[in-house]
Every structure is written in structure tokens, then in C-alpha cells.
Amino acid sequence: MHDFDYKDGRLCCGDVPLADIAQAVGTPFYCYSLPTLRRHIQAFEEPLAGVEHQTCFAMKANANLAVVSVMARHGLGADVVSGGELYLALRAGIPASKIVYSGVGKTDSEIDMALSAGIMMFNIESGEELEVINARAGVMGKRAPIAIRVNPDVDPRTHPYISTGMQKNKFGIALEASLEQYLKAKEMPHVEIVGIDCHIGSQLTEVEPFIDAVERLKVLIERLSRHGISFRYLDLGGGLGITYANEEPPHPSAYARAILEAVGGLGLKLVFEPGRVIVGNTGVLVTRVQYRKQTPKKTFIIVDAGMNDLIRPALYDAWHDIKPEQMRARDTEQVDVVGPICESSDFLARDRVLPVFSRGDLMAVMSAGAYGFTMSSTYNARPRPAEVMVDESRYFVVTQRQRYEDLLSGQHVPEEIMGR
Ligand SMILES: *Cc1c(COP(=O)(O)O)cnc(C)c1O
């Protein structure tokens, strides 16, 4: 559950009316609830109390420094997929020993950076990557701790763009090939096998695919042990879904119970990489209505947030609830809520029945705490929005809205290209 509710007819985060924040920081902005964030961390951690484990928050869901600092404070580690995320995780106070590094395209310099930092493990996604990591570790006089990210070929039954654990996906190494890579890794002088990993997709609303994956991994673990290969960590990735509309994903406690039962007795330290389930419902995107526009076919509500601010509807056809800032009696109508970007895919909601909005009204796009700001861009030269964190009756701007000058950052016009 979250912390965004009406008080005296005004939509608030905790005790703070979103309209007050809009007044002070302008629109659009992301608003995160600190108490909700803490509650979600606890909801994930509680069922795992007493179980040897490390939760590594998937930074790509929300890399805000304040948000990740809260994770660090609660003992969470990080799952990073780039040098930039590694940098941010360390800056947020997450110790390197709690950082796992996933992703199919790690560059030499990113690998070096992770080796220098001394991360917990690399999740290896290809045979070539394994060789490169062994070589880089050799150059640096280190041993790289590795797990192989196994692609167990299970269907997570989610949107195809966020499914990662099927044979047709670019992620991980197929079961049979994983055995081969482990045998190779065992012979490599600068690599230490510390774990086994899988991550099958995102926004999963059932536990069965997770359990299928565990079962397949167990068979592989057994085969590896017959080859004298053992390790400390079993990394089960992230992917637990949240409620955007009427999905009914398992509660983290049900997820934990099912997983603990499935892994029972392996004696491995469990690693989890949740992203969305921790932050998704901690945040909303607040935007202001600019115009109403009637065409023969549709009514458009044109707002000041676009696909550059929140791309999920355009990219995944994702559904986000939309709430008016003011709860007052009014008619409803069917509308498209669209942004100012020059693309027809620039919508936040399509064919949605909503209360009638007028120019100047505020609305909240709900469940925007995951894959919201992190996926934002400056497309159409739109400065990226502000991020605000609310703690009960206080709020803090944790990321300044970009200024126009920021759009020029790093740019340079060489004299030589200017005609005389
Ligand atoms: C994206 C990702 C996650 C987190 O996924 P969620 O659905 O947000 O929990 C975890 N692990 C890896 C490797 C990922 O790429």
C-alpha cells in the first residue's frame, strides 16, 4: 500500500498536498514517499529474516541518490548494469561487497572499475564476457568473483519487452551451455566461481515461473557439484510485479515462502535483485493540464509531462492510474491524456474514462516510482523533471529540475565547422 491519498479533497503524499509542492517546484515532478519506501523495504526483508541472504536493489528501477541512500541505510546492496550505476551505488553508500553486476555488454573500463571497487560478483552473460573478465582481472592482479547468469528458458508470462529468461532473449546463458562455461571458468586463473544467477523477467504476477526457474537451476547445481563445482550464492534476480491496475501479484511474503520452500536445504546464501516491487508504488508523477483539445474522434487532455518524463506507456503500452489532484463532484468523460512531445506515441493514458479536467488542473500519474525518472530523457530539449521526497509533513527536493543551461552541458561548437 502507498501513502498517496485525499485529505480534505486534495491529493496528498503523507500530509503534504501535492498542489503545495507543485506551487513551489513547478510541474512536472516526481514525488516519492519515504514512509512507503521504508515500508516496502521492510515488507521484502521481513519474510527473509533469519535466512542468510542479501537483497541487492536493482538500480535501474530508481537510481535517485536519496532513494538509494535509504536502501543503503537499510542494509540493502545493489544490482547494477553499468559503470554509471556502480558509481551511483557507491556514492549512495552501498558497500562494494554488496554489489552484483549484471548486463550483457560490460565494457573493459566498466569491468576494471568493478574489479577495483571489489564487488560481490559479476553475473556473466556470455562466454566471451567470461574470457574478458578473466583477462582484465589478470592484468589487474585480481581474481574476479563470478556467477553465471543462467537462462532457464521459462516463460515469465509478462510483456515481451520485459521478459528475459526465454531462449529467444539476449540475456544469460542457456542451461547446457552454462555447464560448459562453468567448467571453463574453473580452469581460469583469474576467476573465482562464487555463485549462480538467473533473472527471468519483470512485472511477474505469479510465483510459478520463479519456482520453475529454481527447479531448473537446482538440476544444474547438482550436475555442477558432480564436476566438483560449488559456490556460496544463489542469485534469483528480481521481477516481482506490482499492482498498476487490477493485477494481483503475490505479496513479497508469499513469494519468499514459495522460494524458500523450493530452494530448501541447498545451504546457499540467497541473493535477490528486486526493483519495481520496492519502488514502483512509492512514487507518482505530477503534471498540470495545459489544454483541452477536441477533435471529431477524440478528446485530448494535453499535459506538461511527456514521454520524455515517463516513457512506460509509449514503450510497453503500460497502464498507469491517473488521479485528479482535487476530489470534487464532476462529470466523467473518455479522453486521451497526452504530452507536448512531437510523437504520436506520446501519451500517458488512452481511451480512459476520467473526471473532466480543465486547463490548470493537476493530476497524478500513479505507480511511477519504478522505471520513471530513470528512463527519462531530454527529448524535444525538455529539461528533466524535479524529484521530491516526502516524509510525513515535510518535503525535500532531492533532484533539481534541470535548467536550460543543463541542456548545453558538455556541448561545444568548434570554430572549424563554422563557415567564414
Ligand atoms: C531489471 C532487473 C532487475 C529488476 O527487475 P524488477 O522487475 O524491477 O524487479 C533485477 N535483475 C536484473 C538483472 C535486471 O536486469
Side-chain angles (χ1 to χ4, degrees):
M1 273 329 294
H2 59 67
D3 205 20
F4 299 91
D5 233 321
Y6 291 94
K7 289 189 175 151
D8 300 326
R10 314 302 297 268
L11 189 56
C12 295
C13 180
D15 299 325
V16 183
L18 294 176
D20 289 4
I21 305 175
Q23 187 69 34
V25 310
T27 50
F29 65 91
Y30 279 92
C31 178
Y32 308 120
S33 159
L34 179 59
T36 305
L37 178 58
R38 292 210 179 104
R39 209 159 46 239
H40 287 186
I41 295 170
Q42 275 157 15
F44 198 88
E45 290 300 292
E46 245 164 40
L48 297 166
V51 177
E52 224 213 324
H53 79 285
Q54 177 63 52
T55 300
C56 296
F57 172 64
M59 294 273 295
K60 74 181 193 290
N62 189 321
N64 178 277
L65 196 63
V67 168
V68 182
S69 298
V70 172
M71 308 279 180
R73 181 56 78 84
H74 284 76
L76 268 55
D79 166 47
V80 304
V81 293
S82 71
E85 284 188 357
L86 174 56
Y87 170 79
L88 292 174
L90 293 169
R91 287 293 297 262
I94 293 183
S97 60
K98 293 183 181 177
I99 295 178
V100 298
Y101 189 172
S102 309
V104 297
K106 305 173 187 82
T107 65
D108 289 17
S109 66
E110 287 175 323
I111 291 166
D112 291 358
M113 184 180 166
L115 284 168
S116 305
I119 63 165
M120 176 170 141
M121 66 185 174
F122 291 89
N123 288 335
I124 305 284
E125 308 237 11
S126 67
E128 201 158 274
E129 180 194 334
L130 176 61
E131 283 171 26
V132 169
I133 287 182
N134 179 52
R136 295 311 309 169
V139 169
M140 296 180 67
K142 303 209 181 241
R143 268 189 107 189
I146 64 114
I148 294 204
R149 175 169 175 182
V150 177
N151 182 330
D153 193 28
V154 299
D155 184 354
R157 297 194 281 262
T158 182
H159 189 284
Y161 286 9
I162 49 179
S163 145
T164 57
M166 295 167 77
Q167 245 168 19
K168 62 182 176 199
N169 301 128
K170 72 177 176 183
F171 299 98
I173 302 178
L175 277 168
E176 217 36 54
S178 294
L179 179 65
E180 244 169 76
Q181 293 302 330
Y182 270 112
L183 292 172
K184 280 192 184 151
K186 193 176 171 220
E187 303 306 319
M188 290 180 174
H190 310 297
V191 151
E192 184 191 1
I193 299 171
V194 298
I196 187 165
D197 166 51
C198 76
H199 169 73
I200 57 175
S202 201
Q203 184 54 14
L204 272 69
T205 54
E206 309 162 77
V207 292
E208 288 76 16
F210 291 113
I211 302 309
D212 285 355
V214 170
E215 295 304 336
R216 291 179 185 210
L217 252 55
K218 274 165 73 176
V219 174
L220 179 59
I221 292 170
E222 168 60 31
R223 289 177 67 190
L224 289 168
S225 83
R226 276 185 261 127
H227 286 92
I229 296 173
S230 61
F231 29 72
R232 296 202 286 284
Y233 304 117
L234 171 57
D235 183 342
L236 294 171
L240 189 56
I242 63 168
T243 302
Y244 286 99
N246 39 31
E247 304 92 333
E248 292 179 350
H251 188 271
S253 59
Y255 162 82
R257 210 176 314 120
I259 287 199
L260 293 179
E261 193 185 307
V263 299
L266 279 179
L268 296 171
K269 177 165 178 171
L270 300 179
V271 178
F272 296 96
E273 303 170 352
R276 188 189 316 265
V277 69
I278 309 265
V279 291
N281 278 319
T282 65
V284 302
L285 173 64
V286 179
T287 179
R288 196 181 288 282
V289 175
Q290 297 302 300
Y291 300 107
R292 296 177 53 88
K293 177 170 175 173
Q294 200 85 44
T295 71
K297 286 252 156 62
K298 292 217 178 206
T299 302
F300 293 101
I301 305 296
I302 302 170
V303 299
D304 66 2
M307 64 188 285
N308 72 299
D309 301 301
L310 179 66
I311 203 177
R312 297 189 69 257
L315 191 59
Y316 312 120
D317 206 14
W319 191 97
H320 285 266
D321 194 12
I322 288 183
K323 288 194 161 140
E325 184 272 322
Q326 286 186 42
M327 176 140 73
R328 57 170 200 264
R330 56 180 129 167
D331 288 341
T332 59
E333 59 182 346
Q334 181 171 316
V335 297
D336 280 16
V337 178
V338 300
I341 302 270
C342 299
E343 297 282 348
S344 291
S345 58
D346 180 29
F347 63 90
L348 296 173
R350 269 198 300 203
D351 298 323
R352 191 77 66 83
V353 176
L354 292 174
V356 172
F357 280 100
S358 315
R359 174 169 163 80
D361 286 348
L362 291 167
M363 65 173 73
V365 183
M366 307 302 290
S367 311
Y371 307 102
F373 188 90
T374 50
M375 291 183 114
S376 69
S377 73
T378 58
Y379 186 41
N380 278 206
R382 288 167 47 82
R384 293 171 87 194
E387 291 178 290
V388 173
M389 186 176 273
V390 174
D391 184 14
E392 296 178 357
S393 59
R394 295 182 302 166
Y395 74 88
F396 309 91
V397 175
V398 290
T399 306
Q400 297 278 348
R401 180 182 311 286
Q402 280 190 331
R403 302 153 306 167
Y404 285 140
E405 301 92 280
D406 297 321
L407 297 173
L408 291 170
S409 165
Q411 297 204 51
H412 163 66
V413 182
E415 294 267 327
E416 294 86 337
I417 67 167
M418 301 303 290
R420 271 157 300 226

